[in-house]
PDB file of all heavy atoms in Angstrom:
ATOM      1  N   CYS A  19     -17.389 -65.203  30.974  1.00 49.00           N
ATOM      2  CA  CYS A  19     -18.666 -65.777  30.570  1.00 49.00           C
ATOM      3  C   CYS A  19     -19.405 -66.568  31.577  1.00 49.00           C
ATOM      4  O   CYS A  19     -20.440 -67.039  31.326  1.00 49.00           O
ATOM      5  CB  CYS A  19     -18.338 -66.666  29.317  1.00 49.00           C
ATOM      6  SG  CYS A  19     -17.644 -65.844  27.931  1.00 49.00           S
ATOM      7  N   ALA A  20     -18.734 -66.654  32.727  1.00 47.00           N
ATOM      8  CA  ALA A  20     -19.299 -67.474  33.795  1.00 47.00           C
ATOM      9  C   ALA A  20     -20.596 -66.790  34.221  1.00 47.00           C
ATOM     10  O   ALA A  20     -20.634 -65.634  34.364  1.00 47.00           O
ATOM     11  CB  ALA A  20     -18.306 -67.689  35.004  1.00 47.00           C
ATOM     12  N   THR A  21     -21.614 -67.602  34.464  1.00 69.00           N
ATOM     13  CA  THR A  21     -22.962 -67.055  34.922  1.00 69.00           C
ATOM     14  C   THR A  21     -23.415 -67.759  36.156  1.00 69.00           C
ATOM     15  O   THR A  21     -22.757 -68.735  36.589  1.00 69.00           O
ATOM     16  CB  THR A  21     -23.991 -67.247  33.778  1.00 69.00           C
ATOM     17  OG1 THR A  21     -24.107 -68.691  33.567  1.00 69.00           O
ATOM     18  CG2 THR A  21     -23.518 -66.531  32.620  1.00 69.00           C
ATOM     19  N   SER A  22     -24.441 -67.244  36.711  1.00 86.00           N
ATOM     20  CA  SER A  22     -25.032 -67.834  37.959  1.00 86.00           C
ATOM     21  C   SER A  22     -26.290 -68.698  37.494  1.00 86.00           C
ATOM     22  O   SER A  22     -26.738 -68.513  36.273  1.00 86.00           O
ATOM     23  CB  SER A  22     -25.445 -66.710  38.852  1.00 86.00           C
ATOM     24  OG  SER A  22     -26.572 -66.009  38.279  1.00 86.00           O
ATOM     25  N   PRO A  23     -26.790 -69.552  38.331  1.00 92.00           N
ATOM     26  CA  PRO A  23     -27.987 -70.316  37.967  1.00 92.00           C
ATOM     27  C   PRO A  23     -29.167 -69.386  37.638  1.00 92.00           C
ATOM     28  O   PRO A  23     -29.978 -69.664  36.810  1.00 92.00           O
ATOM     29  CB  PRO A  23     -28.236 -71.202  39.265  1.00 92.00           C
ATOM     30  CG  PRO A  23     -26.889 -71.248  39.890  1.00 92.00           C
ATOM     31  CD  PRO A  23     -26.190 -69.955  39.648  1.00 92.00           C
ATOM     32  N   GLU A  24     -29.292 -68.273  38.404  1.00 92.00           N
ATOM     33  CA  GLU A  24     -30.342 -67.316  38.165  1.00 92.00           C
ATOM     34  C   GLU A  24     -30.198 -66.669  36.656  1.00 92.00           C
ATOM     35  O   GLU A  24     -31.233 -66.573  36.045  1.00 92.00           O
ATOM     36  CB  GLU A  24     -30.317 -66.254  39.174  1.00 92.00           C
ATOM     37  CG  GLU A  24     -30.796 -66.631  40.523  1.00 92.00           C
ATOM     38  CD  GLU A  24     -29.534 -67.185  41.355  1.00 92.00           C
ATOM     39  OE1 GLU A  24     -28.396 -67.080  40.899  1.00 92.00           O
ATOM     40  OE2 GLU A  24     -29.796 -67.752  42.526  1.00 92.00           O
ATOM     41  N   ALA A  25     -29.000 -66.398  36.414  1.00 91.00           N
ATOM     42  CA  ALA A  25     -28.784 -65.803  34.990  1.00 91.00           C
ATOM     43  C   ALA A  25     -29.129 -66.797  33.974  1.00 91.00           C
ATOM     44  O   ALA A  25     -29.704 -66.586  32.899  1.00 91.00           O
ATOM     45  CB  ALA A  25     -27.346 -65.276  34.851  1.00 91.00           C
ATOM     46  N   ASP A  26     -28.709 -68.044  34.146  1.00 94.00           N
ATOM     47  CA  ASP A  26     -29.080 -69.114  33.203  1.00 94.00           C
ATOM     48  C   ASP A  26     -30.492 -69.359  33.054  1.00 94.00           C
ATOM     49  O   ASP A  26     -31.045 -69.440  31.969  1.00 94.00           O
ATOM     50  CB  ASP A  26     -28.378 -70.427  33.629  1.00 94.00           C
ATOM     51  CG  ASP A  26     -26.856 -70.530  33.575  1.00 94.00           C
ATOM     52  OD1 ASP A  26     -26.279 -69.675  32.998  1.00 94.00           O
ATOM     53  OD2 ASP A  26     -26.317 -71.242  34.228  1.00 94.00           O
ATOM     54  N   GLN A  27     -31.266 -69.225  34.202  1.00 95.00           N
ATOM     55  CA  GLN A  27     -32.699 -69.462  34.087  1.00 95.00           C
ATOM     56  C   GLN A  27     -33.439 -68.298  33.465  1.00 95.00           C
ATOM     57  O   GLN A  27     -34.382 -68.469  32.607  1.00 95.00           O
ATOM     58  CB  GLN A  27     -33.302 -69.613  35.482  1.00 95.00           C
ATOM     59  CG  GLN A  27     -32.855 -70.937  36.130  1.00 95.00           C
ATOM     60  CD  GLN A  27     -33.374 -72.107  35.535  1.00 95.00           C
ATOM     61  OE1 GLN A  27     -34.582 -72.296  35.342  1.00 95.00           O
ATOM     62  NE2 GLN A  27     -32.441 -72.989  35.062  1.00 95.00           N
ATOM     63  N   ALA A  28     -32.881 -67.049  33.735  1.00 94.00           N
ATOM     64  CA  ALA A  28     -33.495 -65.863  32.954  1.00 94.00           C
ATOM     65  C   ALA A  28     -33.218 -65.985  31.482  1.00 94.00           C
ATOM     66  O   ALA A  28     -34.138 -65.542  30.696  1.00 94.00           O
ATOM     67  CB  ALA A  28     -32.799 -64.592  33.597  1.00 94.00           C
ATOM     68  N   ALA A  29     -32.090 -66.376  31.059  1.00 94.00           N
ATOM     69  CA  ALA A  29     -31.824 -66.570  29.622  1.00 94.00           C
ATOM     70  C   ALA A  29     -32.718 -67.587  29.099  1.00 94.00           C
ATOM     71  O   ALA A  29     -33.257 -67.418  27.978  1.00 94.00           O
ATOM     72  CB  ALA A  29     -30.348 -66.955  29.398  1.00 94.00           C
ATOM     73  N   LEU A  30     -32.955 -68.741  29.729  1.00 96.00           N
ATOM     74  CA  LEU A  30     -33.888 -69.814  29.354  1.00 96.00           C
ATOM     75  C   LEU A  30     -35.264 -69.238  29.184  1.00 96.00           C
ATOM     76  O   LEU A  30     -36.079 -69.648  28.213  1.00 96.00           O
ATOM     77  CB  LEU A  30     -33.761 -70.960  30.249  1.00 96.00           C
ATOM     78  CG  LEU A  30     -34.661 -72.104  30.047  1.00 96.00           C
ATOM     79  CD1 LEU A  30     -34.186 -72.839  28.747  1.00 96.00           C
ATOM     80  CD2 LEU A  30     -34.690 -73.073  31.189  1.00 96.00           C
ATOM     81  N   ALA A  31     -35.688 -68.444  30.119  1.00 97.00           N
ATOM     82  CA  ALA A  31     -36.985 -67.830  30.062  1.00 97.00           C
ATOM     83  C   ALA A  31     -37.252 -67.074  28.841  1.00 97.00           C
ATOM     84  O   ALA A  31     -38.479 -67.158  28.348  1.00 97.00           O
ATOM     85  CB  ALA A  31     -37.295 -66.962  31.317  1.00 97.00           C
ATOM     86  N   GLN A  32     -36.323 -66.530  28.267  1.00 96.00           N
ATOM     87  CA  GLN A  32     -36.532 -65.809  26.894  1.00 96.00           C
ATOM     88  C   GLN A  32     -37.023 -66.774  25.790  1.00 96.00           C
ATOM     89  O   GLN A  32     -37.663 -66.235  24.853  1.00 96.00           O
ATOM     90  CB  GLN A  32     -35.256 -65.056  26.485  1.00 96.00           C
ATOM     91  CG  GLN A  32     -34.968 -63.909  27.468  1.00 96.00           C
ATOM     92  CD  GLN A  32     -33.775 -63.123  26.856  1.00 96.00           C
ATOM     93  OE1 GLN A  32     -32.777 -63.594  26.864  1.00 96.00           O
ATOM     94  NE2 GLN A  32     -33.983 -61.829  26.543  1.00 96.00           N
ATOM     95  N   ARG A  33     -36.668 -68.049  25.942  1.00 96.00           N
ATOM     96  CA  ARG A  33     -37.196 -68.973  24.914  1.00 96.00           C
ATOM     97  C   ARG A  33     -38.434 -69.696  25.413  1.00 96.00           C
ATOM     98  O   ARG A  33     -39.405 -69.800  24.627  1.00 96.00           O
ATOM     99  CB  ARG A  33     -36.071 -70.001  24.700  1.00 96.00           C
ATOM    100  CG  ARG A  33     -34.928 -69.514  23.977  1.00 96.00           C
ATOM    101  CD  ARG A  33     -33.943 -70.560  23.565  1.00 96.00           C
ATOM    102  NE  ARG A  33     -33.634 -71.555  24.621  1.00 96.00           N
ATOM    103  CZ  ARG A  33     -32.663 -71.477  25.572  1.00 96.00           C
ATOM    104  NH1 ARG A  33     -31.975 -70.305  25.566  1.00 96.00           N
ATOM    105  NH2 ARG A  33     -32.442 -72.433  26.474  1.00 96.00           N
ATOM    106  N   VAL A  34     -38.484 -70.194  26.667  1.00 97.00           N
ATOM    107  CA  VAL A  34     -39.600 -71.043  27.082  1.00 97.00           C
ATOM    108  C   VAL A  34     -40.791 -70.348  27.372  1.00 97.00           C
ATOM    109  O   VAL A  34     -41.956 -70.932  27.498  1.00 97.00           O
ATOM    110  CB  VAL A  34     -39.147 -71.990  28.203  1.00 97.00           C
ATOM    111  CG1 VAL A  34     -37.997 -72.918  27.819  1.00 97.00           C
ATOM    112  CG2 VAL A  34     -38.882 -71.179  29.438  1.00 97.00           C
ATOM    113  N   LEU A  35     -40.789 -69.020  27.650  1.00 97.00           N
ATOM    114  CA  LEU A  35     -42.061 -68.261  27.980  1.00 97.00           C
ATOM    115  C   LEU A  35     -42.786 -67.806  26.701  1.00 97.00           C
ATOM    116  O   LEU A  35     -43.917 -67.359  26.790  1.00 97.00           O
ATOM    117  CB  LEU A  35     -41.704 -67.109  28.899  1.00 97.00           C
ATOM    118  CG  LEU A  35     -41.153 -67.478  30.321  1.00 97.00           C
ATOM    119  CD1 LEU A  35     -41.053 -66.231  31.160  1.00 97.00           C
ATOM    120  CD2 LEU A  35     -42.171 -68.534  30.906  1.00 97.00           C
ATOM    121  N   VAL A  36     -42.145 -67.943  25.589  1.00 97.00           N
ATOM    122  CA  VAL A  36     -42.860 -67.662  24.336  1.00 97.00           C
ATOM    123  C   VAL A  36     -43.974 -68.697  24.149  1.00 97.00           C
ATOM    124  O   VAL A  36     -43.735 -69.902  24.212  1.00 97.00           O
ATOM    125  CB  VAL A  36     -41.833 -67.750  23.089  1.00 97.00           C
ATOM    126  CG1 VAL A  36     -42.590 -67.572  21.726  1.00 97.00           C
ATOM    127  CG2 VAL A  36     -40.763 -66.545  23.201  1.00 97.00           C
ATOM    128  N   GLY A  37     -45.046 -68.229  23.835  1.00 96.00           N
ATOM    129  CA  GLY A  37     -46.315 -69.039  23.700  1.00 96.00           C
ATOM    130  C   GLY A  37     -47.148 -69.006  24.977  1.00 96.00           C
ATOM    131  O   GLY A  37     -48.296 -69.483  24.920  1.00 96.00           O
ATOM    132  N   MET A  38     -46.728 -68.422  26.056  1.00 97.00           N
ATOM    133  CA  MET A  38     -47.489 -68.340  27.256  1.00 97.00           C
ATOM    134  C   MET A  38     -48.643 -67.442  27.149  1.00 97.00           C
ATOM    135  O   MET A  38     -48.603 -66.374  26.563  1.00 97.00           O
ATOM    136  CB  MET A  38     -46.611 -67.881  28.437  1.00 97.00           C
ATOM    137  CG  MET A  38     -47.409 -67.796  29.806  1.00 97.00           C
ATOM    138  SD  MET A  38     -46.297 -67.316  31.103  1.00 97.00           S
ATOM    139  CE  MET A  38     -45.727 -68.961  31.638  1.00 97.00           C
ATOM    140  N   PRO A  39     -49.902 -67.924  27.529  1.00 97.00           N
ATOM    141  CA  PRO A  39     -51.043 -66.983  27.392  1.00 97.00           C
ATOM    142  C   PRO A  39     -50.998 -65.813  28.263  1.00 97.00           C
ATOM    143  O   PRO A  39     -50.347 -65.894  29.450  1.00 97.00           O
ATOM    144  CB  PRO A  39     -52.269 -67.914  27.881  1.00 97.00           C
ATOM    145  CG  PRO A  39     -51.672 -69.357  27.762  1.00 97.00           C
ATOM    146  CD  PRO A  39     -50.246 -69.259  27.969  1.00 97.00           C
ATOM    147  N   LYS A  40     -51.586 -64.782  27.892  1.00 97.00           N
ATOM    148  CA  LYS A  40     -51.585 -63.443  28.688  1.00 97.00           C
ATOM    149  C   LYS A  40     -52.090 -63.717  30.166  1.00 97.00           C
ATOM    150  O   LYS A  40     -51.441 -63.126  31.073  1.00 97.00           O
ATOM    151  CB  LYS A  40     -52.504 -62.516  27.952  1.00 97.00           C
ATOM    152  CG  LYS A  40     -52.629 -61.160  28.677  1.00 97.00           C
ATOM    153  CD  LYS A  40     -53.500 -60.327  27.729  1.00 97.00           C
ATOM    154  CE  LYS A  40     -53.912 -58.988  28.354  1.00 97.00           C
ATOM    155  NZ  LYS A  40     -54.834 -58.217  27.428  1.00 97.00           N
ATOM    156  N   GLN A  41     -53.188 -64.456  30.286  1.00 97.00           N
ATOM    157  CA  GLN A  41     -53.732 -64.636  31.624  1.00 97.00           C
ATOM    158  C   GLN A  41     -52.644 -65.354  32.541  1.00 97.00           C
ATOM    159  O   GLN A  41     -52.532 -65.019  33.822  1.00 97.00           O
ATOM    160  CB  GLN A  41     -54.964 -65.501  31.592  1.00 97.00           C
ATOM    161  CG  GLN A  41     -56.138 -64.832  30.925  1.00 97.00           C
ATOM    162  CD  GLN A  41     -55.994 -64.933  29.375  1.00 97.00           C
ATOM    163  OE1 GLN A  41     -55.150 -65.610  28.795  1.00 97.00           O
ATOM    164  NE2 GLN A  41     -56.943 -64.318  28.711  1.00 97.00           N
ATOM    165  N   THR A  42     -51.883 -66.271  32.011  1.00 97.00           N
ATOM    166  CA  THR A  42     -51.002 -66.985  32.818  1.00 97.00           C
ATOM    167  C   THR A  42     -49.727 -66.040  33.136  1.00 97.00           C
ATOM    168  O   THR A  42     -49.306 -65.999  34.259  1.00 97.00           O
ATOM    169  CB  THR A  42     -50.386 -68.223  32.094  1.00 97.00           C
ATOM    170  OG1 THR A  42     -51.486 -69.108  31.653  1.00 97.00           O
ATOM    171  CG2 THR A  42     -49.463 -69.024  32.936  1.00 97.00           C
ATOM    172  N   LEU A  43     -49.361 -65.155  32.225  1.00 97.00           N
ATOM    173  CA  LEU A  43     -48.305 -64.229  32.455  1.00 97.00           C
ATOM    174  C   LEU A  43     -48.668 -63.312  33.604  1.00 97.00           C
ATOM    175  O   LEU A  43     -47.883 -62.986  34.547  1.00 97.00           O
ATOM    176  CB  LEU A  43     -47.935 -63.457  31.092  1.00 97.00           C
ATOM    177  CG  LEU A  43     -46.982 -62.335  31.286  1.00 97.00           C
ATOM    178  CD1 LEU A  43     -45.577 -62.769  31.760  1.00 97.00           C
ATOM    179  CD2 LEU A  43     -47.002 -61.454  30.086  1.00 97.00           C
ATOM    180  N   LEU A  44     -49.924 -62.766  33.446  1.00 97.00           N
ATOM    181  CA  LEU A  44     -50.381 -61.838  34.535  1.00 97.00           C
ATOM    182  C   LEU A  44     -50.469 -62.526  35.943  1.00 97.00           C
ATOM    183  O   LEU A  44     -50.190 -61.926  36.928  1.00 97.00           O
ATOM    184  CB  LEU A  44     -51.715 -61.320  34.078  1.00 97.00           C
ATOM    185  CG  LEU A  44     -51.621 -60.190  32.911  1.00 97.00           C
ATOM    186  CD1 LEU A  44     -52.963 -59.844  32.510  1.00 97.00           C
ATOM    187  CD2 LEU A  44     -50.835 -59.033  33.273  1.00 97.00           C
ATOM    188  N   SER A  45     -50.799 -63.738  35.839  1.00 97.00           N
ATOM    189  CA  SER A  45     -51.000 -64.488  37.192  1.00 97.00           C
ATOM    190  C   SER A  45     -49.628 -64.775  37.887  1.00 97.00           C
ATOM    191  O   SER A  45     -49.508 -64.805  39.036  1.00 97.00           O
ATOM    192  CB  SER A  45     -51.773 -65.749  37.061  1.00 97.00           C
ATOM    193  OG  SER A  45     -51.026 -66.711  36.383  1.00 97.00           O
ATOM    194  N   CYS A  46     -48.612 -65.072  37.065  1.00 97.00           N
ATOM    195  CA  CYS A  46     -47.313 -65.390  37.584  1.00 97.00           C
ATOM    196  C   CYS A  46     -46.388 -64.238  37.722  1.00 97.00           C
ATOM    197  O   CYS A  46     -45.531 -64.086  38.628  1.00 97.00           O
ATOM    198  CB  CYS A  46     -46.563 -66.544  36.823  1.00 97.00           C
ATOM    199  SG  CYS A  46     -46.138 -66.137  35.085  1.00 97.00           S
ATOM    200  N   ALA A  47     -46.435 -63.206  36.805  1.00 96.00           N
ATOM    201  CA  ALA A  47     -45.547 -62.020  36.865  1.00 96.00           C
ATOM    202  C   ALA A  47     -46.176 -60.857  37.619  1.00 96.00           C
ATOM    203  O   ALA A  47     -45.529 -59.931  37.992  1.00 96.00           O
ATOM    204  CB  ALA A  47     -44.958 -61.674  35.473  1.00 96.00           C
ATOM    205  N   GLY A  48     -47.527 -60.853  37.663  1.00 96.00           N
ATOM    206  CA  GLY A  48     -48.180 -59.831  38.325  1.00 96.00           C
ATOM    207  C   GLY A  48     -48.552 -58.696  37.315  1.00 96.00           C
ATOM    208  O   GLY A  48     -48.478 -58.822  36.156  1.00 96.00           O
ATOM    209  N   VAL A  49     -48.871 -57.576  37.890  1.00 95.00           N
ATOM    210  CA  VAL A  49     -49.364 -56.367  37.101  1.00 95.00           C
ATOM    211  C   VAL A  49     -48.086 -55.664  36.602  1.00 95.00           C
ATOM    212  O   VAL A  49     -47.055 -55.428  37.344  1.00 95.00           O
ATOM    213  CB  VAL A  49     -50.039 -55.348  37.896  1.00 95.00           C
ATOM    214  CG1 VAL A  49     -50.502 -54.151  37.125  1.00 95.00           C
ATOM    215  CG2 VAL A  49     -51.317 -56.095  38.548  1.00 95.00           C
ATOM    216  N   PRO A  50     -47.914 -55.425  35.247  1.00 97.00           N
ATOM    217  CA  PRO A  50     -46.729 -54.859  34.835  1.00 97.00           C
ATOM    218  C   PRO A  50     -46.524 -53.337  35.278  1.00 97.00           C
ATOM    219  O   PRO A  50     -47.575 -52.683  35.612  1.00 97.00           O
ATOM    220  CB  PRO A  50     -46.900 -54.912  33.227  1.00 97.00           C
ATOM    221  CG  PRO A  50     -48.345 -54.983  33.049  1.00 97.00           C
ATOM    222  CD  PRO A  50     -48.975 -55.721  34.194  1.00 97.00           C
ATOM    223  N   THR A  51     -45.294 -52.992  35.279  1.00 96.00           N
ATOM    224  CA  THR A  51     -44.966 -51.555  35.689  1.00 96.00           C
ATOM    225  C   THR A  51     -45.512 -50.608  34.647  1.00 96.00           C
ATOM    226  O   THR A  51     -45.973 -49.545  34.966  1.00 96.00           O
ATOM    227  CB  THR A  51     -43.406 -51.424  35.729  1.00 96.00           C
ATOM    228  OG1 THR A  51     -42.893 -52.430  36.679  1.00 96.00           O
ATOM    229  CG2 THR A  51     -43.016 -50.043  36.337  1.00 96.00           C
ATOM    230  N   ARG A  52     -45.366 -50.978  33.349  1.00 96.00           N
ATOM    231  CA  ARG A  52     -45.854 -50.219  32.226  1.00 96.00           C
ATOM    232  C   ARG A  52     -46.476 -51.110  31.287  1.00 96.00           C
ATOM    233  O   ARG A  52     -46.060 -52.246  31.081  1.00 96.00           O
ATOM    234  CB  ARG A  52     -44.756 -49.352  31.520  1.00 96.00           C
ATOM    235  CG  ARG A  52     -44.056 -48.350  32.437  1.00 96.00           C
ATOM    236  CD  ARG A  52     -42.999 -47.542  31.627  1.00 96.00           C
ATOM    237  NE  ARG A  52     -42.078 -48.295  30.885  1.00 96.00           N
ATOM    238  CZ  ARG A  52     -40.883 -48.762  31.329  1.00 96.00           C
ATOM    239  NH1 ARG A  52     -40.601 -48.478  32.613  1.00 96.00           N
ATOM    240  NH2 ARG A  52     -40.018 -49.452  30.598  1.00 96.00           N
TER     241      ARG A  52
END
Side-chain angles (χ1 to χ4, degrees):
C19 295
T21 62
S22 68
E24 292 85 8
D26 293 341
Q27 293 296 302
L30 179 67
Q32 289 183 295
R33 292 189 313 275
V34 300
L35 296 183
V36 170
M38 178 174 275
K40 175 179 173 179
Q41 295 81 5
T42 306
L43 174 66
L44 291 171
S45 72
C46 63
V49 177
T51 307
R52 294 184 311 272

